[in-house]
Amino acid sequence: MNNRDLIESGELELYVAGLLDEDRAQEITTIIQQDESVRKEIEEIEKTVLDLAQASTNQEDFAFTEVLKKVIVSKDVSSEKEKADFTITPKERTWRTYVIWAAAAVFLVMFILQYQNSEEVTNQLNLSLEEKKELNTRVEQQNFKLQYKDDLLATLASPATETVQLAGQEVSPESAAQVFWNKKLDQVVIDASQLPSPPEGKVYQVWSLKLEPLTPTSLGLLEGISQTDQLFLLNNPNSSEAFGITLEPEGGSESPTLEQLYVLGIYES
Amino acid sequence: MDEIQDLVVRLQKKDANAFQELHHRYAKNICGAIQVIVQDEAIAKEICQDVFVKVWQKSSMYDSTKGRFFTWLLNMARNAAIDFTRSKEFNKSKKNHSIDFFVHILEKPESEEPNQDYSGLKKMISKLKKKCVQIIEMLYFRSYTQKETADEVGIPLGTVKSRNRNCLKALRAEIETDE
């Protein structure tokens, strides 16, 4: 059969309907790639069916956001329990309180440790000037750290802070993270305790996302993630609709590497 | 159309922007195809969203050597819509649901409900023979085989292929005069 006959046979129409057996469909795929007239004909048939399908609905509003939300939530359709892990439920409050207490406890221990360190520092100030200077810097750094923890705690403890659960994605389904977002302070605290340690030369990067169109804005890197440092304070002046965390090369990236999307969660206002 | 192929390759690499673009291009058509079967716009919209979730999750299953992306998409939409018509929920809500959506549109008087206005569709198919709209609906929107279509419409099996071609040609001509 030459290609003119093929076009006239009505087989291409069946190809578009998906009604040919696999072998014949593959043969036709090859012919489409080789013959411009067959390709054009296929496109015409497809367009006719597309036009007819399109005329069969009066709907105009097809928000991609709705699909995206379902993509996220669909991870857990299998179990209601899992679903609760990344939607905000009334239980959240007890859970959040628990985190705040845990953070407060960590803070207290850190404070005592820092204080003891400072004591030690004072004693050593009698040592040489150079040493003094160095130690001063250390105190400053520690004060800075304390201030940081203080800010972090203030953001966490504020009643204005809202929680967004980020669920593990394809690359790491067992991962999870929480974003505590204080819109008044334009700050977020990231709880990264449920992310695996990043491999050598890689770093986690936090993204604020607008959904339509999909626009990621980097909020910063989770640098120096360790057993004790799993809470991070970042600025977020954006009107975020979702948050995501990707694994990026050291120093971070301009735009997120979606294949390395570890966790993602929608902010339900 | 190579553009679509490009987007599909990116979709298979989990590129959310490509996914959004494909959704933008096909949402209305896919929603319309589902509407032909479920005949309820709100339900069709819901199923349509679910179909796109599957598109994202199962994009790796699409094999471009076996058919068009649109055919794959349409097949997923039909299956989802047909599954729904077998559900309890659907059987409960089944109000004057007709097996032939296009024939129904063709024959019923103009609807007074503004959200049930299919005048565009009606115009598109009004010059087509009843058997034509039946054949098109069965083959493209209802996953009927050629044999099932022949039995249902009452024509010899050997003529389904050529009848369908002529019907689509007539429809294409109608659409082109309108454009």
Side-chain angles (χ1 to χ4, degrees), chain A residues 1-231:
Chain A
M1 189 175 3
N2 69 33
N3 291 345
R4 192 67 239 153
D5 293 340
L6 174 67
I7 289 172
E8 292 301 329
S9 72
E11 218 179 353
L12 298 181
E13 281 80 356
L14 297 182
Y15 175 81
V16 172
L19 286 170
L20 296 180
D21 66 64
E22 215 169 277
D23 291 344
R24 185 60 185 149
Q26 273 175 342
E27 280 168 28
I28 292 195
T29 305
T30 313
I31 298 171
I32 294 168
Q33 286 158 352
Q34 293 160 352
D35 188 319
E36 182 69 8
S37 64
V38 176
R39 189 177 63 83
K40 278 216 172 96
E41 183 69 14
I42 284 280
E43 284 171 10
E44 284 291 343
I45 297 164
E46 191 172 288
K47 183 177 177 299
T48 308
V49 180
L50 277 164
D51 286 345
L52 182 63
Q54 181 163 332
S56 301
T57 181
N58 290 306
Q59 298 270 350
E60 286 301 336
D61 173 34
F62 300 100
F64 182 64
T65 324
E66 293 306 314
V67 176
L68 215 54
K69 279 185 188 173
K70 282 192 175 183
V71 165
I72 294 162
V73 178
S74 70
K75 296 259 165 217
D76 55 281
V77 280
S78 52
S79 118
E80 279 301 309
K81 193 207 141 281
E82 272 179 68
K83 194 177 211 154
D85 286 347
F86 40 86
T87 49
I88 297 170
T89 60
K91 270 187 192 163
E92 213 56 63
R93 196 141 289 281
T94 36
W95 183 86
R96 193 199 293 174
T97 316
Y98 167 74
V99 165
I100 292 169
W101 277 110
V106 170
F107 177 72
L108 189 67
V109 170
M110 297 244 347
F111 182 79
I112 292 166
L113 287 175
Q114 308 280 4
Y115 179 77
Q116 284 175 344
N117 277 346
S118 300
E119 280 269 87
E120 202 186 315
V121 169
T122 325
N123 292 336
Q124 288 179 1
L125 276 176
N126 298 325
L127 298 171
S128 77
L129 251 158
E130 214 161 301
E131 261 181 328
K132 224 193 232 173
K133 208 174 168 190
E134 194 194 312
L135 291 169
N136 268 339
T137 320
R138 253 176 76 189
V139 172
E140 227 165 76
Q141 278 172 352
Q142 278 161 351
N143 279 342
F144 179 78
K145 266 194 189 168
L146 272 177
Q147 183 60 46
Y148 177 82
K149 298 278 173 193
D150 226 3
D151 290 346
L152 194 148
L153 197 64
T155 303
L156 267 183
S158 160
T161 298
E162 294 173 82
T163 315
V164 184
Q165 305 291 329
L166 311 193
Q169 300 296 302
E170 234 169 82
V171 58
S172 176
E174 69 284 355
S175 285
Q178 285 77 38
V179 174
F180 303 97
W181 186 13
N182 191 313
K183 285 200 217 168
K184 281 189 188 155
L185 301 171
D186 283 343
Q187 280 177 327
V188 290
V189 173
I190 311 292
D191 171 11
S193 58
Q194 293 171 75
L195 289 175
S197 302
E200 192 74 24
K202 298 274 185 179
V203 63
Y204 287 115
Q205 190 164 6
V206 184
W207 304 89
S208 153
L209 303 167
K210 291 285 281 178
L211 296 179
E212 234 166 327
L214 195 69
T215 327
T217 310
S218 174
L219 297 185
L221 306 175
L222 304 184
E223 275 172 317
I225 196 165
S226 70
Q227 287 289 319
T228 48
D229 279 321
Q230 296 178 328
L231 291 172

Side-chain angles (χ1 to χ4, degrees), chain A residues 7 13 16-17 22 26 29 41 43 46-47 50 53-54 56 58-62 70 74, chain B residues 1 23 28-29 32 35 41 45-46 49-50 57 65-66 68 71 78 115 117 140 165 172 179:
Chain A
I7 289 172
E13 281 80 356
V16 172
E22 215 169 277
Q26 273 175 342
T29 305
E41 183 69 14
E43 284 171 10
E46 191 172 288
K47 183 177 177 299
L50 277 164
Q54 181 163 332
S56 301
N58 290 306
Q59 298 270 350
E60 286 301 336
D61 173 34
F62 300 100
K70 282 192 175 183
S74 70
Chain B
M1 277 296 157
H23 174 264
K28 186 159 185 187
N29 317 94
Q35 163 70 5
E41 300 235 322
K45 193 173 171 181
E46 197 67 30
Q49 289 169 358
D50 296 341
Q57 290 169 338
T65 65
K66 289 179 186 159
R68 309 280 294 172
T71 304
R78 287 189 299 221
N115 61 342
D117 174 26
Y140 292 93
R165 170 159 172 80
R172 194 199 294 185
E179 275 174 353

Side-chain angles (χ1 to χ4, degrees), chain A residues 49 52-53 55-56, chain B residues 32-33 36 39 98-108 121-122 125 130 132-138 140-142 171:
Chain A
V49 180
L52 182 63
S56 301
Chain B
V36 171
Q39 293 168 32
S98 89
I99 284 292
D100 295 307
F101 180 72
F102 292 145
V103 172
H104 184 66
I105 295 288
L106 211 52
E107 292 177 347
K108 79 169 183 178
L121 173 64
K122 191 167 181 170
I125 59 178
K130 183 179 164 184
C132 262
V133 295
Q134 282 180 310
I135 291 170
I136 293 173
E137 177 165 336
M138 285 166 191
Y140 292 93
F141 298 93
R142 292 195 181 270
L171 178 61

Side-chain angles (χ1 to χ4, degrees), chain B residues 12-38:
Chain B
Q12 291 180 319
K13 291 178 185 156
K14 297 285 178 207
D15 178 332
N17 291 324
F19 180 41
Q20 181 169 20
E21 182 58 31
L22 286 166
H23 174 264
H24 175 69
R25 291 191 189 210
Y26 288 115
K28 186 159 185 187
N29 317 94
I30 289 307
C31 194
I34 295 165
Q35 163 70 5
V36 171
I37 299 172
V38 301

